[in-house]
Structure formats: C-alpha cells, structure tokens
Amino acid sequence: MAASKTLEVPQYYAQRDSSTKHGNRMCFSSTCAMAVKFLKPDALKGVNADDDYLKAVLKVGDTVDSSAQIKALASYGIRGSFTQTATVEDIKREINEGFPVGVGFNHHGPLNATTGGHWILIIGYNDSHIVCHDPYGELDVVNGGYPNPGIGGKSVKYTWANWLKRWQPEGHGHGWMMTFRSIVKPTSNPPQIRPSTSSTWPGEDASVARLKRIAELQLLIRKHTEELLKLNIPPPNNSMKSDV
C-alpha cells in the first residue's frame, strides 16, 4: 500500500454559504456533492452547487440520513455505499484506487470526550496526516470545534494521531464511511426494488425449487392422463417418473 497519495479534487463546497436554511447542518450533503463533482464533472454547476445537490437529498429524506444520501447520489449516477465499520486501511485503499472518501466523525469536545457529528471528504493521506476538504472550515482537532468557521477547509490536513480518536472513538474498525463509484445511468427517481421474475424467491434453496418443479410436472401429467381416459385412449406406458 502506498505511503502517501493525494487526489486532484479541485472543487470545494463550503456549507455555510448555502442559500438554504440548512447551511449549518448540511456537511454530509456538501461532502457527497464534492464527490459527485469529482466523478461527474458536468453534473453540478456553480460555486454553490451543493445547494442543488441538497435539493435532491431533501426530496427523499434528510441531509443527515445516509439512506437519503445514497438515493440522491444514485440520481446523479453515483453508487454510494455506507458503513459504520471502516478502518484506516479502507480509507487508504479508496484513495489508492483513485476515489475520494466521505467520513463522519465527532467534531466537538476534547479528544478524551468527543461528541457531535460531522462529515468531510478525504482526498489524500501520508504517514502522519489525512488531507481533506472540510466543508465547515478548519477543525481544532485537539480541542474540538471550529475557531474560524468557513475558513481554511480546502485541502486541510489533520494528524492521524488526533483525528483517529474522533473517527474511531470506539476503537479500530468502527469508522463511519461513504464510498463513491460511477454507475452507467443516473436514476431520475430514487431507486426502487423490483420484484424478482424468477420462480425461485430470494433465499430459497435450489433443492426446494427443484422439488416444486417436479410437483408441477407431476400435476401436469396427471391432468393429461385424466383427459386421455375421458377419451378412452390408454395413457402411454412410459409416463414420466420423478427422479427423486
């Protein structure tokens, strides 16, 4: 695994300049909007295009809801995947593969008693720091909070040693993360789960499906045999038999 890598993610959205009433709470949306702009450069236009992305989110839920974010991302042709069990290795792998990654962490309180909830887009890392676009500005990683909201959030660096205490307060393997991939065709509406056309419903064991098919064939044979008897035509001697 590479020791360091930083992606070229030129677009930075500052959440507090929003023309909506959600400016102080739309970090998740601004973070996802930056990922959309990176993967689909023509999908969002203008310095406040995270407001447009936010509208797509609010059509299906709330800005703090990961499921609403996933549906909104799909409408732009992006597949979002959310987990609460991410690791440092997961972050580095995404960056190494060329994808920025959204992460949620505690942004309030000192390192030994972190609280809150905030999202940023990690665009790079090295041995000592993460490099990120923080939509609220530059975090005081040690003490918590933002001394100068709205300032210094583009390509800001936070030390692994301090930031990890905010991202994984419960220990290794408990990080909140959203990954992003392009999909071929955007959805005009939130994705819907379509019923399967297969006779085998999800989770049904193959042997059960096979027995069901055999029963259907036996019923069909019986029906045709009864029709032949009504016509006084003897049924063939080599009638189909079950192989079980």
Side-chain angles (χ1 to χ4, degrees):
M1 186 172 288
S4 66
K5 183 172 183 177
T6 299
L7 305 175
E8 290 293 331
V9 183
Q11 184 63 58
Y12 169 75
Y13 293 129
Q15 68 183 87
R16 298 184 76 253
D17 66 1
S18 175
S19 61
T20 74
K21 63 181 180 181
H22 298 278
N24 284 329
R25 61 188 300 272
M26 61 181 287
C27 57
F28 202 172
S29 291
S30 294
T31 293
C32 290
M34 287 188 275
V36 170
K37 184 67 175 178
F38 176 77
L39 292 173
K40 303 276 188 177
D42 296 328
L44 295 171
K45 305 288 187 180
V47 295
N48 281 356
D50 51 340
D51 279 4
D52 295 329
Y53 174 81
L54 176 65
K55 293 176 183 177
V57 174
L58 296 179
K59 287 180 180 179
V60 294
D62 189 66
T63 181
V64 300
D65 183 0
S66 61
S67 62
Q69 295 292 344
I70 289 172
K71 292 176 182 178
L73 287 165
S75 72
Y76 284 95
I78 305 294
R79 183 177 73 250
S81 299
F82 173 73
T83 180
Q84 295 176 325
T85 58
T87 65
V88 171
E89 291 72 26
D90 293 327
I91 291 177
K92 291 181 177 180
R93 183 183 63 252
E94 289 295 309
I95 299 298
N96 290 341
E97 292 180 0
F99 301 100
V101 57
V103 288
F105 62 96
N106 294 340
H107 63 308
H108 288 316
L111 293 178
N112 62 348
T114 63
T115 62
H118 182 59
W119 282 83
I120 59 176
L121 187 74
I122 295 183
I123 63 172
Y125 72 93
N126 58 34
D127 287 338
S128 58
H129 294 77
I130 61 168
V131 184
C132 65
H133 285 346
D134 188 325
Y136 206 84
E138 183 174 1
L139 173 73
D140 181 343
V141 184
V142 174
N143 301 302
Y146 288 80
N148 300 293
I151 298 176
K154 183 176 181 179
S155 299
V156 64
K157 295 181 179 179
Y158 299 142
T159 64
W160 282 113
N162 290 325
W163 182 76
L164 282 178
K165 296 175 183 177
R166 297 185 174 279
W167 187 54
Q168 295 184 330
E170 298 178 4
H172 179 76
H174 292 277
W176 287 32
M177 183 174 78
M178 180 77 83
T179 60
F180 310 94
R181 294 291 188 277
S182 295
I183 53 180
V184 176
K185 186 178 179 181
T187 61
S188 56
N189 296 304
Q192 301 292 324
I193 299 176
R194 297 182 180 180
S196 172
T197 57
S198 171
S199 61
T200 303
W201 49 271
E204 182 177 27
D205 185 83
S207 62
V208 177
R210 183 166 171 266
L211 291 174
K212 285 173 59 179
R213 181 56 179 162
I214 291 173
E216 291 171 355
L217 290 173
Q218 290 175 330
L219 181 62
L220 184 63
I221 292 170
R222 188 180 303 113
K223 179 179 179 182
H224 284 299
T225 299
E226 291 174 351
E227 291 176 350
L228 290 173
L229 290 174
K230 289 179 182 178
L231 295 173
N232 293 322
I233 300 175
N237 294 326
N238 59 342
S239 299
M240 184 180 294
K241 296 181 180 180
S242 170
D243 62 351
V244 294

